[in-house]
Amino acid sequence: NSRVDGLEARLNNFEAGGFSETTTASFSVDAVIGSIDGDTTSEATTFEYQYNIGLSTSFTGEDSLDIAIDSGSDAAATADNPMGFDTGAALSVDGVTYSFPVGGVSMVVGNDTDISASFTGACSYSAFTDYMGDCGTGNTIGKGGNGVTATGSYAFDSGFSLAAGLSSATTSAGILTKEGTDSYGIEAAYTADSYGISVAYSDAEGTTGWGINGMYAFDFATLSAGWESVDTGTTADGFFVGLSFPEVGAGSLDIGMGTTGNFKDGATEYYTYEASYAYPLNDGVTITPGVYIIEGATDVTGVALKTSFSF
């Protein structure tokens, strides 16, 4: 029967793998339950979560179209939500990027993409709270974008690499805004078997910054450190240092400390401290208990358990 054959042919288009053999999907869920002491407005048990979907397709074997769908945009870390999760937000497209080679340069273009997407970095620390992210260089080596973004990197055989990124803001209609809303960054990095160092410069609407992070692997642990200076008319600095022990029992241990942000000369500096132990229950589930102290006008101490699912 031709009608039955036609219907079967259309249904075959929706079989698994029928869209593209090079398309893959990944999913992850992070959930944190913890208790906070010191914040008089929320001294209680808290629960935060986030959900992420990643879709990737290759057309030539050397390129990649990637779409990130998250449970809302990233939230700024606070003492009550130190992981920076955006709990309860609806799923939204958090970035669309296309990666492809141009000669020896690896290019990434997209929207809502960090200008540091092609940066190498030199940080081996696994942060428990968002305060320790990017080894304390989130404004430079982990610099975000503000709209349409293009980045590229070139790796030399010696271990040396160069990278740069440019981002321009757009209106709600997707139209590029006027000159003066651009941001850009450049990075030089060197990576060897047991150590690495990365230096970056960024400029976003007149706010400039320098960031340095590095790592050195000993036999028993890896030391990571970072420092950055941001100039908004006045200069503010911050730093981070952390130790990662890759084999502690069946899991790994990370201990770190750093400033809670960048502080101007003469300002009172506050610090954050954390320790966490990541234990893989199986290939798809990892539990990470941790403790943290965040200094401020009122110091906050937290104990939390993060469970990460990947599938």
Side-chain angles (χ1 to χ4, degrees):
N1 186 299
S2 59
R3 293 181 60 186
V4 174
D5 292 340
L7 178 61
E8 182 179 358
R10 288 194 295 271
L11 289 174
N12 285 338
N13 290 331
F14 296 94
E15 293 179 356
F19 295 102
S20 171
E21 293 181 355
T22 62
T23 299
T24 60
S26 61
F27 305 86
S28 66
V29 177
D30 295 306
V32 173
I33 186 168
S35 179
I36 300 171
D37 181 35
D39 187 341
T40 57
T41 63
S42 60
E43 285 190 359
T45 299
T46 62
F47 177 76
E48 311 289 346
Y49 71 91
Q50 64 181 6
Y51 177 61
N52 310 98
I53 302 172
L55 302 175
S56 180
T57 299
S58 179
F59 303 97
T60 67
E62 296 182 341
D63 64 344
S64 180
L65 175 64
D66 299 286
I67 302 172
I69 304 173
D70 302 330
S71 56
S73 59
D74 293 339
T78 64
D80 297 340
N81 180 17
M83 280 68 178
F85 290 174
D86 193 6
T87 298
L91 283 170
S92 61
V93 177
D94 192 34
V96 178
T97 61
Y98 183 58
S99 307
F100 56 95
V102 178
V105 178
S106 299
M107 294 293 302
V108 179
V109 296
N111 192 44
D112 295 328
T113 302
D114 294 345
I115 63 174
S116 60
S118 297
F119 287 10
T120 301
C123 177
S124 295
Y125 183 79
S126 180
F128 185 64
T129 66
D130 202 39
Y131 290 91
M132 303 292 184
D134 298 304
C135 277
T137 54
N139 296 295
T140 49
I141 297 176
K143 181 66 177 176
N146 58 359
V148 178
T149 303
T151 74
S153 64
Y154 185 86
F156 297 86
D157 295 335
S158 61
F160 182 71
S161 64
L162 291 172
L166 172 67
S167 183
S168 296
T170 60
T171 66
S172 59
I175 301 172
L176 291 176
T177 53
K178 296 180 180 180
E179 183 179 357
T181 61
D182 297 337
S183 59
Y184 66 89
I186 56 176
E187 182 213 41
Y190 180 80
T191 303
D193 291 338
S194 59
Y195 65 92
I197 187 169
S198 174
V199 180
Y201 172 81
S202 67
D203 188 309
E205 301 180 38
T207 297
T208 60
W210 285 95
I212 302 173
N213 63 32
M215 52 78 63
Y216 187 89
F218 299 93
D219 291 337
F220 62 96
T222 298
L223 173 67
S224 297
W227 169 88
E228 74 173 7
S229 177
V230 176
D231 186 355
T232 59
T234 56
T235 302
D237 304 316
F239 76 91
F240 156 88
V241 63
L243 275 174
S244 302
F245 301 85
E247 296 181 3
V248 179
S252 59
L253 174 67
D254 289 275
I255 302 173
M257 69 88 64
T259 53
T260 58
N262 295 325
F263 293 89
K264 300 176 182 179
D265 291 342
T268 302
E269 291 189 353
Y270 295 111
Y271 303 94
T272 181
Y273 310 85
E274 68 174 32
S276 63
Y277 181 75
Y279 179 81
L281 289 179
N282 51 52
D283 291 340
V285 181
T286 299
I287 59 172
T288 307
V291 296
Y292 59 88
I293 299 172
I294 303 171
E295 295 181 344
T298 301
D299 294 347
V300 172
T301 301
V303 178
L305 174 66
K306 179 171 72 172
T307 304
S308 301
F309 305 85
S310 60
F311 50 97

